[in-house]
C-alpha cells in the first residue's frame, strides 16, 4: 500500500484542484485518446479548429494528480494556438508551465501532450 | 485544519502511556543489559520484565520470546533461520515474507505460493496437498495488511502439526485485533511488530516454540540466547511490552469500537456513493480495515483530495518512475489492474471517533463526484456521480 510521498508544486495543485477546460466536445474536429499501459492513466483531448487555430479544447482524465494537472495545463497552453504551435507543445513545456513535476511523474505528463497531438493529427488527416 | 489519521495499518501513534513508560530508559536506566554492574543489571531486569509481559500477552514462556528490530526482521528470521527445503506460503503475504522467499529461492529453496479466493482466503485443503517430503515450513499471515482478511490459522496449524511441518504466522496486523492462541492454533513461530500496536518503531519480536531448531541471522555477542546478537534496544523493548500489554487489556473495547466505526464507514459510503465495492472478505476481516474500490476514479487522485481535507489513507497503487505496480494482494483476489487503481484503504485506530467517520462521509461523495466528472471512463450520458438512491 502506498501513502503519499509526492511533493507537487503550487501550480500543479491548483490545476489538480481546479482543472480548466474539463469536458468533451461532441462535434469535435479532432479527438485523441492516450493511455499509459504501464500506469493505467488515460487522457482524452478534444479540439475545435477555426481558421487554422485551436478555438476550443477540452479534456477528460483518469489518472493521478500529475496526469490531471498536466492535462489541464496542456489545454490552457493549446487554446488559441495554431495547429503547428499546438504540435510544438511538449511535455517539457507543460512541466515547465507547472513549475516542474516530480521526477517519478514524468511519464504521466506525456499523456496530455500526446493526446493533444493525436487530436491535431486526426483533424489534419481529415482536412 | 482538522487532521484525521486513517492509516493505522501503516503505523500508529505511540500511546502516551507507552511514551511515559519508555522515558526513564533513555537517560536514567540506560545501561547495557550485558554489563555486570548495577547499571547493566537494571537494564537486564527491565528486559526480563518486558519479556515476561510479551510472553504473557501471547500465552508463551519467556524463553520463547526473541526481541528483534520489527516485523520485517522477525519474518526474515523465521524463514531464513529454518534449514532450507520446501516452503509453503501464499501470494498475499507482506513483502517481508515474499521477498525473503524470493531470496531463498535463489539460495536453494523451493517455494509454493498458494492462491487465495476472491475474499483473500487461503484454502487449507490446498496447503495439505502442497506438502511434500521436503516441506520444512508453512508461513501464512494471520491477517492481511491491505484487505484485512483473517486466515483460518487454527486449521492450517493443525495441518502443519499433523504433517510434521513448522508453522509460522505473521501476526503483525492481527495482534490485539483478533484472538491469537498459540496452542489451539498450533503456531510454532509468530512475528510481531511494535509500531502497529501503538508502540515505538524499530522493535518487535519473534515467538519461537520451545524445541524449534532455528539459526540466527545476526552473529555477535550472543544476545537473545544467541538467536539475535546486538545490544538490546531497552527503551524500545520496554515500550513494545507496554504496548502489547495495553493491547491485551483493551482488546474487548478496542475491537468493539473499531468494528462499530468500520461498519459505520462501510455502510455510510455504500449509502451515499454508487459503484463502490468492498475489497476483501465481508466477515472474516480485521475490525479496523476498510478497503474500498471506487469505479472510474484513480486512487492517488482520491488520496490527494482526501489529504487536502486532512484525511490520511493509502491506495492500492501509485504511479512511480517505472510503473504503477498494482497491489499484489488485490491482483491475487482477482481484481483487474484498472480496478485496483481506484482502491483506497482506510485503517482505523483506537483514537478515531464516530465524528471522524462522519467527517469522512461528509467529504467523500464530493471528491468522488468531482473525479468522476473528469473521468473518461464514466460512460457518456450516464450521470454517475456522488449521489445515489
Ligand atoms: C503484515 C506485515 N508484516 C510485516 C510488516 C513489517 O513490519 P516492520 O515495519 O515492523 O518491519 C508489516 C508492516 O508494514 C506488515 O503489515
Ligand atoms: Zn499517473
Amino acid at each position: 500500500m502506498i501513502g503519499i510521498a509526492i511533493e507537487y508544486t503550487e501550480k500543479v495543485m491548483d490545476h489538480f484542484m481546479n482543472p480548466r477546460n474539463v469536458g468533451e466536445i461532441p462535434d469535435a474536429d479532432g479527438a485523441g485518446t492516450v493511455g499509459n499501459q504501464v500506469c493505467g492513466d488515460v487522457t482524452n483531448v478534444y479540439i475545435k479548429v477555426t481558421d487554422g487555430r485551436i478555438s476550443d479544447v477540452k479534456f477528460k482524465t483518469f489518472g493521478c494528480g500529475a496526469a490531471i494537472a498536466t492535462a489541464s495545463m496542456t489545454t490552457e497552453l493549446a487554446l488559441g494556438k495554431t495547429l503547428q504551435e499546438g504540435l510544438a507543445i511538449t511535455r517539457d513545456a507543460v512541466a515547465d508551465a507547472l513549475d516542474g513535476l516530480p521526477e517519478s511523474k514524468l511519464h504521466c505528463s506525456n499523456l496530455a501532450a500526446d493526446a493533444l497531438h493525436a487530436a491535431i493529427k486526426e483533424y489534419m488527416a481529415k482536412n | 485544519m482538522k487532521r484525521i489519521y486513517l492509516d493505522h495499518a501503516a503505523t500508529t501513534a505511540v500511546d502516551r502511556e507507552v511514551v511515559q513508560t519508555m522515558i526513564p530508559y533513555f537517560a536514567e536506566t540506560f545501561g547495557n543489559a550485558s554489563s555486570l554492574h548495577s547499571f547493566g543489571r537494571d537494564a537486564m531486569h527491565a528486559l526480563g520484565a518486558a519479556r515476561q509481559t510479551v510472553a504473557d500477552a501471547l500465552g508463551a514462556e519467556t524463553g520463547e520470546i526473541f526481541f528483534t528490530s520489527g516485523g520485517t526482521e522477525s519474518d526474515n528470521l523465521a524463514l531464513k533461520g529454518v534449514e532450507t527445503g520446501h516452503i509453503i506460503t501464499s501470494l498475499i503475504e507482506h513483502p517481508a515474507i515474499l521477498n525473503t522467499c524470493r531470496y531463498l529461492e535463489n539460495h536453494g529453496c523451493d517455494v509454493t505460493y498458494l492462491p487465495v479466493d476472491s475474499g483473500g482466503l487461503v484454502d487449507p485443503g490446498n496447503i495439505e496437498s502442497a506438502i511434500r517430503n521436503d516441506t520444512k515450513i508453512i508461513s501464512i499471515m494471520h491477517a492481511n495488511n491491505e484487505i484485512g482478511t483473517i486466515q483460518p490459522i487454527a486449521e492450517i496449524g493443525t495441518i502443519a502439526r499433523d504433517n510434521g511441518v513448522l508453522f509460522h504466522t505473521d501476526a503483525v496486523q492481527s495482534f490485539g485485533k483478533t484472538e491469537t492462541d498459540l496452542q489451539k492454533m498450533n503456531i510454532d513461530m509468530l512475528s510481531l511488530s511494535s509500531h502497529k500496536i501503538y508502540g515505538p518503531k524499530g522493535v518487535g519480536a519473534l515467538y519461537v516454540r520451545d524445541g524449534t531448531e532455528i539459526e540466527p541471522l545476526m552473529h555477535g555477542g550472543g544476545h537473545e540466547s544467541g538467536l539475535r546478537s546486538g545490544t538490546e534496544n531497552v527503551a524500545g523493548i520496554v515500550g513494545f511490552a507496554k504496548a502489547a500489554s495495553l493491547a491485551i487489556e483493551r482488546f474487548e473495547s478496542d475491537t468493539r469500537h473499531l468494528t462499530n466505526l468500520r461498519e459505520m464507514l462501510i455502510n455510510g459510503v455504500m449509502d451515499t456513493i454508487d459503484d463502490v465495492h468492498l475489497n476483501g472478505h465481508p466477515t472474516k476481516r480485521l475490525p479496523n480495515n476498510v478497503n474500498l474500490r471506487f469505479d472510474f476514479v484513480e486512487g492517488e487522485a482520491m488520496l490527494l483530495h482526501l489529504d487536502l481535507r486532512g484525511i490520511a489513507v493509502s491506495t492500492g497503487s501509485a504511479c512511480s518512475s517505472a510503473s504503477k505496480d498494482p497491489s499484489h494482494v488485490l491482483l491475487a483476489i482477482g481484481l483487474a489492474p484498472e480496478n485496483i487503481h481506484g482502491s483506497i484503504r482506510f485503517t482505523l485506530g483506537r483514537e478515531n471517533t464516530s465524528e471522524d467517520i462522519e467527517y469522512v462521509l461528509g467529504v467523500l461523495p464530493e471528491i468522488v463526484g468531482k473525479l468522476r466528472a473528469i473521468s473518461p471512463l464514466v460512460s457518456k450520458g450516464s450521470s454517475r456521480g456522488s449521489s445515489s438512491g
Side-chain angles (χ1 to χ4, degrees), chain B residues 103-386:
Chain B
Y103 168 87
L104 289 169
E105 281 181 295
N106 290 331
H107 288 77
C109 285
D110 218 9
V111 182
T112 300
Y113 301 91
L114 294 175
V116 294
D117 67 15
S118 60
L121 286 173
V122 172
D123 179 350
N126 284 344
I127 294 187
E128 184 115 54
S129 23
I131 294 176
R132 316 189 314 209
N133 285 337
D134 62 339
T135 304
K136 286 275 164 43
I137 185 166
I138 296 168
S139 179
I140 300 288
M141 72 202 312
H142 192 181
N144 183 266
N145 47 304
E146 296 192 24
I147 53 177
T149 302
I150 300 169
Q151 300 296 342
I153 288 300
E155 272 179 77
I156 298 169
T158 303
I159 291 169
R161 181 61 51 88
D162 290 350
N163 287 277
V165 174
L166 289 175
F167 177 42
H168 166 257
T169 190
D170 177 330
V172 165
Q173 294 290 344
S174 63
F175 183 78
K177 299 189 198 80
T178 184
E179 222 111 24
T180 310
D181 188 320
L182 298 172
Q183 310 316 330
K184 262 198 264 170
M185 296 173 167
N186 282 313
I187 295 166
D188 296 308
M189 290 192 273
L190 175 141
S191 300
L192 291 180
S193 176
S194 156
H195 74 101
K196 310 286 187 181
I197 59 166
Y198 312 93
K201 292 171 182 56
V203 56
L206 181 67
Y207 158 81
V208 182
R209 183 178 289 279
D210 190 32
T212 307
E213 275 182 45
I214 179 167
E215 294 282 320
L217 301 181
M218 294 290 176
H219 302 271
H223 308 77
E224 297 293 299
S225 313
L227 190 57
R228 205 277 185 179
S229 286
T231 301
E232 296 88 349
N233 171 10
V234 178
I237 289 168
V238 165
F240 168 40
K242 181 67 185 177
S245 72
L246 289 176
I248 296 299
E249 205 174 288
R250 299 178 183 174
F251 181 80
E252 301 283 331
S253 63
D254 274 359
T255 48
R256 196 175 336 111
H257 175 64
L258 293 169
T259 306
N260 286 340
L261 295 184
R262 181 189 72 188
E263 294 309 301
M264 183 182 170
L265 180 56
I266 295 173
N267 295 331
V269 169
M270 296 291 180
D271 286 348
T272 52
I273 306 177
D274 284 338
D275 302 308
V276 186
H277 319 270
L278 182 68
N279 292 326
H281 201 280
T283 54
K284 290 170 183 160
R285 186 178 199 101
L286 285 180
N288 74 327
N289 179 289
V290 177
N291 191 314
L292 293 169
R293 192 163 89 242
F294 297 83
D295 290 343
F296 321 120
V297 298
E298 195 270 347
E300 188 208 292
M302 274 194 70
L303 188 149
L304 265 181
H305 271 295
L306 287 165
D307 190 44
L308 288 165
R309 306 296 191 96
I311 301 165
V313 300
S314 284
T315 171
S317 67
C319 309
S320 66
S321 48
S323 68
K324 176 148 61 180
D325 283 340
S327 145
H328 68 285
V329 176
L330 299 180
L331 281 175
I333 61 171
L335 295 189
E338 60 269 28
N339 292 328
I340 293 175
H341 296 329
S343 292
I344 296 283
R345 180 187 71 182
F346 304 82
T347 42
L348 314 169
R350 208 180 258 164
E351 81 282 4
N352 289 135
T353 62
S354 52
E355 285 77 43
D356 292 347
I357 306 304
E358 272 162 26
Y359 178 76
V360 174
L361 291 173
V363 302
L364 208 50
E366 186 196 321
I367 291 173
V368 174
K370 197 169 168 165
L371 289 170
R372 283 183 179 168
I374 68 169
S375 172
L377 305 188
V378 179
S379 53
K380 264 182 213 153
S382 87
S383 59
R384 276 171 167 151
S386 58

Side-chain angles (χ1 to χ4, degrees), chain A residues 1-4 6 8 13 16-19 22-24 38-44 46 59-66 68 103-105 107-108, chain B residues 7 146 291 296-298 300-301 303-305 307-308 313-324 338 341 345 370-371 373-377 380:
Chain A
M1 296 307 282
I2 298 146
I4 191 157
I6 307 153
Y8 286 129
M13 287 311 290
F16 169 70
M17 292 288 286
N18 310 294
V22 172
E24 294 168 13
V38 191
C39 78
D41 291 354
V42 180
T43 287
N44 290 0
Y46 306 86
F59 84 93
K60 282 207 161 182
T61 292
F62 166 87
C64 62
I68 292 171
E103 194 63 36
S104 64
K105 289 291 184 179
H107 73 290
C108 305
Chain B
D7 202 12
E146 296 192 24
N291 191 314
F296 321 120
V297 298
E298 195 270 347
E300 188 208 292
L303 188 149
L304 265 181
H305 271 295
D307 190 44
L308 288 165
V313 300
S314 284
T315 171
S317 67
C319 309
S320 66
S321 48
S323 68
K324 176 148 61 180
E338 60 269 28
H341 296 329
R345 180 187 71 182
K370 197 169 168 165
L371 289 170
I374 68 169
S375 172
L377 305 188
K380 264 182 213 153

